[in-house]
Amino acid sequence: MIKLENHLGWIDISHEFLVNLIVNTATNCFGVAGMSNCNNRQGLKAKLLHKEPLDKGILVRYKKEKLIVDLHILVIYGMNIS
């Protein structure tokens, strides 16, 4: 759970909502084929459950008032990446 405070009060954002928002935004970008596993734990979890985890390819952390997002994406073959 991420908690932010502004002049109107507190804002609570669930981790699952934030992950789904970022994954849906990234996969809808032109040239992105999908998400890749970030680490071995995600790959093992997918094999054990026989389905893709919701947080596949994304690590979200909140440290010292900053949101840190690591994306691991698969790009379409031949796509120019800047």
Side-chain angles (χ1 to χ4, degrees), residues 2-13 62 65:
I2 297 172
K3 295 184 179 207
L4 305 170
E5 184 180 11
N6 64 12
H7 67 283
L8 298 174
W10 286 93
I11 301 171
D12 295 333
I13 303 172
Y62 187 72
E65 302 293 323

Side-chain angles (χ1 to χ4, degrees), residues 20-36:
N20 285 334
L21 180 67
I22 295 170
V23 167
N24 287 334
T25 303
T27 55
N28 287 323
C29 289
F30 180 74
V32 176
M35 305 297 287
S36 175

Side-chain angles (χ1 to χ4, degrees), residues 29-60:
C29 289
F30 180 74
V32 176
M35 305 297 287
S36 175
N37 288 330
C38 294
N39 54 32
N40 291 333
R41 182 184 60 89
Q42 284 187 332
L44 180 62
K45 187 163 75 171
K47 286 180 184 177
L48 292 175
L49 297 176
H50 301 291
K51 62 179 181 177
E52 286 190 15
L54 294 175
D55 60 347
K56 179 180 178 182
I58 185 168
L59 294 173
V60 179

